[in-house]
Amino acid sequence: MKIKPLQIIAHIILILGVLLMVVPIWISFASSSHDSVTILTEGMKFHIGDQLARNYNEVLNEKGGWSEEVTAAKMFINSFIMALGIATLKVVISAMSAYALVYYRFKLAVPIFWLIFITLLVPLEVRIFPSYKIVSDLGLTNSYTGLILPLVASATATFFFRQFYKTIPDELLESAKLDGANAWSFFIDFLVPLSKTMIAAMFIFMFVYGYSQYLWPLIMTTAEEYWTVVMGMKIIYTESYEGVALPRTAERFAYIILSMIPPVLVVVFLQKWFIKGLIQTEK
Amino acid sequence: MSFLDLKNVTKIYPNGTKAVHETSLSVDEGEFMVFVGPSGCGKSTLLRMVAGLEDITEGDINLDGKLINEVDPSERDVAMVFQNYALYPHMNVYNNLAYGLKNRGIDKETIEQKVNDAAKLLQISDYLQRKPSMLSGGQRQRVAMGRAIVRNPKIFLFDEPLSNLDAKLRIQMRLEIKKLQQKVGVTSIFVTHDQVEAMTLADRLAVINNGIIEQLGTPIEIYDNPKSLFVAGFIGSPQMNFLDGNIKNKTLSAEGFEIKDIDSDFEGEVKLGIRPEHLSQRENSLINLKVDLVEQLGSDNLVYGQLKDKKDFCYRCPGNLTIEKGADLSLNIENNKYYIFDKSTGKRVN
């Protein structure tokens, strides 16, 4: 096969793009395998050093915080629970509310949809005080419920599900009705399997969204056992800055690399559905 | 009371459109009824009301002795084949067929038995594990029918199921549907805008126009004896020729010719209808046709031309006759088979 010049250019651009994304991660990873002192004196590294196991072991198991009890592992678990809860509930609630908006032809469906849509303009940061007031009045501060609940309503996902349901032909519903499907079984037997790829995509986005929350957990949690990974980044920084004479740069890199793993795993597991959806159009 | 009984059924859409006007109709058990009419005439709406997919504005529908106006579609025990098949895209053929049975809480072995029987009947046993997207148009059609058959419903409803198929396959499926219906013996209603489909499939035919049943009868009755201008024009291919005329003292005068002693007391403006196949060539006959175009179909020739008053006219003759373009033909109406309609009301008057 002859290679066209255009293809070469396209590949060069793609390779540049890949390098742009991969090189910083590699530097972080390589640097996380050295001694903090080495990095401070010699700069960031491109090759793997000999401190890999020690650094990661330290990051995962060292107890920190004011109480000297919270570990990075605990923070990972917290973040994972929070992101999982947010992503799952967001997908479930959005899919169901979109179902109601599209298939139940009640009079206010359109105004209600736009009302939901407008909430896009009011992100959590804007309504953080009222949200905090509500959650604290409910006694949910320092709990997973409090971390997850205020973030589960999603206008974006509702919008996408609504648009998708609207493309499903009416005959499918009618046919299912004649086959004896009720409202619930139509949702479970038809809409959910048909929107598999949609669900996977939304789940990934929402997982990353939940995982990278910073302000809300910061305000919500006073007990260290509910700290999340993103909060931890700040804590490690402070701790090393004040506690020890030298910043523990290598451990920080190790921490960053570790913190990337859960979202990466989610993408890796769910991309199968993504690709499947792209290859075979089942509609 | 017959098996399916529609009494003064009316459908008015929320925007005020009246789709079906006080229609009454009965279908006997095991009968194959066809609704035929142009698009937008209300035939599909009528079918969908039987299925329960449209609300009934007024009137009653009885199925098997039970009033079903307010019965949910899932409880009516009707099965429908849709125009675009509406197969469940995410389920394989087996599950497409089994879904309705599962919802009825039938046990697994019975379902398997029934699905396999239906698949065998429709010759789709080899595709049971495939998804609908991997099937051809004809195979999808069969699956759609299988989904209807497997439930063993009280009535089959077909909503223009053949219109997505190519011409050859359509004829083949038409035959199969008819055979299948005879074999299974289920009461069926078939909606189509194709009059050939209607004629070939129907035990009885309802010609529908503007939400009204214009005529109800066996295909041959309707062909031989159309009761209105609309039915006469709709049934028969090529279309019946219509000429303007006037009746006075039992004599019909059209442009260029007269017919005496007609069997009607009507006087005034009329439309004279003559089917292209009810003509033959004979010297010194009534109608003089100047030939513009000849379509040779093999078995038949369709001869298109103009009468004296420049009116378009069609004559169907056996394929072995050679007719040249530009020829002048003298045509006779065989056995006095012509139809006269009141021009203002469209009603048949002879």
Side-chain angles (χ1 to χ4, degrees):
Chain A
M1 202 179 77
K2 225 181 103 186
I3 299 165
K4 294 180 193 143
L6 203 67
Q7 273 178 319
I8 297 174
I9 295 170
H11 275 92
I12 289 173
I13 293 174
L14 283 175
I15 289 166
L16 282 176
V18 169
L19 287 179
L20 211 61
M21 293 202 262
V22 170
V23 168
I25 294 175
W26 173 252
I27 293 177
S28 306
F29 180 67
S31 302
S32 73
S33 64
H34 288 268
D35 207 298
S36 286
V37 183
T38 322
I39 292 171
L40 275 174
T41 50
E42 295 171 23
M44 292 200 260
K45 296 289 180 184
F46 275 94
H47 64 274
I48 303 279
D50 54 359
Q51 299 292 316
L52 190 80
R54 197 201 70 89
N55 285 344
Y56 282 83
N57 189 31
E58 195 157 307
V59 166
L60 277 175
N61 296 321
E62 192 185 78
K63 295 190 159 110
W66 297 295
S67 61
E68 300 286 330
E69 262 177 12
V70 61
T71 61
K74 176 71 180 162
M75 289 194 277
F76 281 121
I77 292 168
N78 286 346
S79 274
F80 194 78
I81 290 173
M82 182 182 173
L84 196 70
I86 288 173
T88 313
L89 288 175
K90 256 181 191 287
V91 167
V92 169
I93 287 173
S94 308
M96 287 172 81
S97 56
Y99 176 52
L101 286 170
V102 174
Y103 287 95
Y104 288 80
R105 289 176 187 143
F106 54 96
K107 267 189 187 151
L108 293 174
V110 174
I112 286 177
F113 170 71
W114 287 111
L115 207 64
I116 293 175
F117 200 73
I118 281 172
T119 63
L120 272 182
L121 304 175
V122 194
L124 181 75
E125 286 73 14
V126 176
R127 57 183 163 88
I128 200 146
F129 286 113
S131 296
Y132 180 79
K133 167 91 174 117
I134 291 169
V135 171
S136 101
D137 284 356
L138 289 171
L140 292 175
T141 48
N142 287 325
S143 71
Y144 289 124
T145 322
L147 278 174
I148 293 166
L149 211 55
L151 294 166
V152 295
S154 168
T156 331
T158 309
F159 175 73
F160 279 113
F161 277 113
R162 174 180 178 262
Q163 296 312 99
F164 176 74
Y165 292 160
K166 285 189 153 209
T167 65
I168 290 176
D170 287 344
E171 283 90 349
L172 203 63
L173 172 65
E174 290 172 349
S175 184
K177 265 189 195 168
L178 291 174
D179 259 348
N182 56 30
W184 182 247
S185 51
F186 181 69
F187 182 67
I188 296 296
D189 294 340
F190 290 84
L191 294 183
V192 171
L194 284 173
S195 53
K196 264 189 315 213
T197 49
M198 185 75 145
I199 290 173
M202 284 299 143
F203 188 86
I204 290 176
F205 292 144
M206 298 310 166
F207 186 90
V208 174
Y209 167 85
Y211 193 78
S212 56
Q213 281 301 317
Y214 176 64
L215 196 56
W216 182 248
L218 190 67
I219 291 183
M220 262 296 302
T221 54
T222 46
E224 286 174 347
E225 63 199 278
Y226 289 107
W227 280 4
T228 63
V229 170
V230 186
M231 290 167 74
M233 281 189 196
K234 171 192 155 242
I235 292 154
I236 280 194
Y237 178 80
T238 325
E239 185 189 53
S240 51
Y241 196 75
E242 288 173 357
V244 195
L246 291 172
R248 295 156 64 194
T249 323
E251 279 92 340
R252 275 190 229 164
F253 279 124
Y255 186 84
I256 287 165
I257 293 295
L258 283 173
S259 73
M260 283 192 301
I261 292 172
V264 166
L265 284 181
V266 168
V267 173
V268 166
F269 278 119
L270 289 180
Q271 73 158 354
K272 198 181 87 188
W273 297 109
F274 251 159
I275 310 277
K276 218 178 175 182
L278 291 175
I279 296 169
Q280 46 170 221
T281 44
E282 286 190 311
K283 254 194 302 169
Chain B
M1 193 185 275
S2 46
F3 192 65
L4 175 73
D5 220 28
L6 280 69
K7 232 182 266 159
N8 298 326
V9 173
T10 300
K11 172 74 189 180
I12 302 169
Y13 282 107
N15 63 11
T17 319
K18 208 168 185 185
V20 176
H21 295 255
E22 304 198 355
T23 297
S24 297
L25 175 82
S26 17
V27 182
D28 292 328
E29 190 156 12
E31 189 176 23
F32 201 119
M33 169 68 78
V34 173
F35 293 169
V36 65
S39 35
C41 72
K43 55 189 191 301
S44 284
T45 310
L46 202 57
L47 188 81
R48 291 165 59 83
M49 284 197 280
V50 175
L53 300 172
E54 300 276 356
D55 292 331
I56 301 157
T57 315
E58 268 169 49
D60 291 336
I61 297 180
N62 283 287
L63 179 62
D64 202 9
K66 197 176 141 208
L67 183 71
I68 55 166
N69 277 27
E70 300 295 328
V71 178
D72 199 69
S74 56
E75 322 252 294
R76 285 191 187 195
D77 204 5
V78 300
M80 188 154 166
V81 177
F82 291 84
Q83 184 170 359
N84 59 5
Y85 320 133
L87 299 180
Y88 308 141
H90 56 295
M91 298 183 190
N92 62 22
V93 172
Y94 181 90
N95 285 325
N96 260 284
L97 264 61
Y99 186 70
L101 300 173
K102 277 182 198 159
N103 278 337
R104 261 146 234 263
I106 295 169
D107 66 281
K108 257 192 173 163
E109 280 143 43
T110 320
I111 291 178
E112 205 176 324
Q113 180 68 36
K114 284 189 172 200
V115 169
N116 286 333
D117 287 351
K120 216 169 170 185
L121 190 66
L122 288 157
Q123 299 161 4
I124 49 172
S125 304
D126 293 344
Y127 319 125
L128 282 177
Q129 297 310 318
R130 291 203 198 162
K131 292 262 177 82
S133 56
M134 295 156 77
L135 300 177
S136 71
Q139 290 164 345
R140 286 181 204 190
Q141 177 71 63
R142 283 163 205 267
V143 176
M145 300 215 309
R147 207 168 58 180
I149 288 172
V150 81
R151 295 219 330 254
N152 202 7
K154 283 185 184 151
I155 190 160
F156 272 179
L157 307 172
F158 297 90
D159 191 3
E160 307 208 15
L162 301 178
S163 52
N164 280 352
L165 300 176
D166 62 67
K168 200 175 157 193
L169 203 54
R170 197 179 310 167
I171 294 168
Q172 189 193 333
M173 289 310 292
R174 194 170 80 198
L175 275 170
E176 283 187 25
I177 288 180
K178 183 78 181 170
K179 273 191 207 153
L180 197 71
Q181 197 266 344
Q182 283 170 352
K183 204 170 189 176
V184 185
V186 178
T187 316
S188 305
I189 303 180
F190 190 103
V191 162
T192 178
H193 60 264
D194 182 318
Q195 51 115 350
V196 181
E197 236 167 74
M199 297 282 286
T200 49
L201 284 170
D203 290 332
R204 269 195 314 152
L205 199 60
V207 184
I208 300 177
N209 186 31
N210 285 330
I212 293 168
I213 296 184
E214 292 253 346
Q215 192 170 353
L216 189 69
T218 65
I220 288 304
E221 255 170 52
I222 288 180
Y223 174 83
D224 278 342
N225 207 0
K227 288 208 173 103
S228 72
L229 198 61
F230 174 80
V231 176
F234 196 79
I235 299 295
S237 172
Q239 216 195 352
M240 191 185 272
N241 296 298
F242 291 110
L243 303 172
D244 287 321
N246 207 321
I247 302 183
K248 223 177 222 173
N249 295 330
K250 296 213 167 213
T251 302
L252 187 151
S253 34
E255 293 262 355
F257 62 90
E258 278 189 345
I259 305 174
K260 286 189 176 131
D261 287 329
I262 56 163
D263 185 19
S264 170
D265 295 326
F266 187 82
E267 302 230 324
E269 298 270 297
V270 292
K271 284 256 181 199
L272 173 66
I274 305 161
R275 289 202 188 276
E277 53 270 41
H278 292 162
L279 293 160
S280 62
Q281 287 185 63
R282 195 173 296 172
E283 298 279 308
N284 300 320
S285 294
L286 288 175
I287 302 166
N288 290 303
L289 181 71
K290 187 152 177 72
V291 179
D292 282 341
L293 182 79
V294 181
E295 281 182 352
Q296 292 181 308
L297 303 179
S299 60
D300 290 313
N301 286 340
L302 298 180
V303 181
Y304 296 94
Q306 291 183 335
L307 302 183
K308 273 186 194 147
D309 58 336
K310 303 281 176 205
K311 253 204 126 129
D312 290 325
F313 203 81
C314 176
Y315 158 53
R316 182 178 199 158
C317 69
N320 52 13
L321 290 182
T322 346
I323 294 170
E324 296 288 320
K325 193 182 155 188
D328 280 304
L329 302 180
S330 174
L331 299 175
N332 182 48
I333 305 170
E334 279 188 14
N335 305 324
N336 280 335
K337 270 203 170 170
Y338 54 83
Y339 308 93
I340 304 171
F341 304 94
D342 181 342
K343 197 174 175 184
S344 51
T345 63
K347 290 262 180 319
R348 175 92 175 274
V349 293
N350 73 328

